[in-house]
């Protein structure tokens, strides 16, 4: 059973970036990202906007706001995966 959206779920930046990358289309909506990580659409939108300020994602408003990873976002995600692969017990 997946966690219900809302407060109380700590989601890392890496989880959010992975959810954007894992969207079925080349871009993701905040709702899709929120569903993927178990937080509300509003919570995902707030976090994605913060990641945009860091240069890790970009967005455009086309009806819904659409999000995608920047090269820096892809590098951050790749570095996290490499670190995870290198940690003992992986």
């Amino acid at each position: 059973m997946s966690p219900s959206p809302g407060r109380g779920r700590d989601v890392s930046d890496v989880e959010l970036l992975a959810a954007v990358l894992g969207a079925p289309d080349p871009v993701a909506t905040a709702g899709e990202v929120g569903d993927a990580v178990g937080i509300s659409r509003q919570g995902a939108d707030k976090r994605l906007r913060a990641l945009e300020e860091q240069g890790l994602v970009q967005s455009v408003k086309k009806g819904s706001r659409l999000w995608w990873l920047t090269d820096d976002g892809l590098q951050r995600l790749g570095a996290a995966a490499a670190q995870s692969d290198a940690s003992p017990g992986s």
Side-chain angles (χ1 to χ4, degrees), residues 7-75:
R7 292 186 183 265
R9 168 86 168 95
D10 272 343
V11 177
S12 71
D13 289 349
V14 169
E15 286 178 280
L16 287 163
L17 294 173
V20 173
L21 185 62
D25 295 314
V27 295
T29 65
E32 290 170 333
V33 172
D35 287 348
V37 298
I39 62 175
S40 69
R41 183 201 60 78
Q42 295 88 348
D45 184 71
K46 182 178 179 180
R47 294 286 305 280
L48 288 165
R49 288 176 188 270
L51 292 174
E52 187 169 38
E53 288 179 12
Q54 297 174 45
L56 301 175
V57 296
Q58 286 184 308
S59 70
V60 65
K61 180 97 168 142
K62 298 274 187 177
S64 294
R65 183 161 294 278
L66 303 174
W67 300 92
W68 63 93
L69 296 182
T70 63
D71 289 342
D72 287 346
L74 286 167
Q75 287 178 359

